[in-house]
Amino acid sequence: MSISKQYLEQLHETASQLNEIANNMQQNAIRLIQENPQIDGRFQDQGIANDSLFTISCSFNLQKLAENLISYCEERLSNMQ
């Protein structure tokens, strides 16, 4: 197996793991928001709400990055066969 093919396969695996991590971050942040009590339409702990929303935003960026890496690796690997 060529070094470049091996590298792309490892990169693909890493990108898949990154996508899974981003999904977990997002799910945990959503759970925290849902568990954060609201009083008069405002979160009781605004810091947790802000942290959760920031995490969700970051997870979207990580997911997009992972998707781009996965697509790139798949395209390159298909060209090698």
Side-chain angles (χ1 to χ4, degrees):
M1 181 183 312
S2 74
I3 292 173
S4 60
K5 183 175 180 180
Q6 189 175 17
Y7 173 74
L8 286 169
E9 288 174 345
Q10 290 173 349
L11 183 59
H12 186 276
E13 178 63 28
T14 300
S16 295
Q17 292 170 353
L18 178 60
N19 193 38
E20 185 177 330
I21 290 168
N23 285 332
N24 289 338
M25 285 173 56
Q26 188 177 54
Q27 289 172 3
N28 289 336
I30 289 170
R31 181 183 49 77
L32 281 174
I33 287 173
Q34 291 170 339
E35 292 175 359
N36 190 358
Q38 293 186 29
I39 299 172
D40 297 328
R42 293 188 55 90
F43 288 111
Q44 185 174 355
D45 189 330
Q46 192 60 44
I48 289 175
N50 292 342
D51 295 344
S52 298
L53 292 174
F54 176 75
T55 300
I56 290 170
S57 175
C58 289
S59 71
F60 286 139
N61 292 331
L62 288 173
Q63 285 172 327
K64 189 62 177 168
L65 174 64
E67 289 170 6
N68 288 339
L69 282 168
I70 290 168
S71 294
Y72 176 81
C73 291
E74 288 174 350
E75 182 178 328
R76 292 278 294 124
L77 286 166
S78 71
N79 291 335
M80 290 183 174
Q81 301 188 17

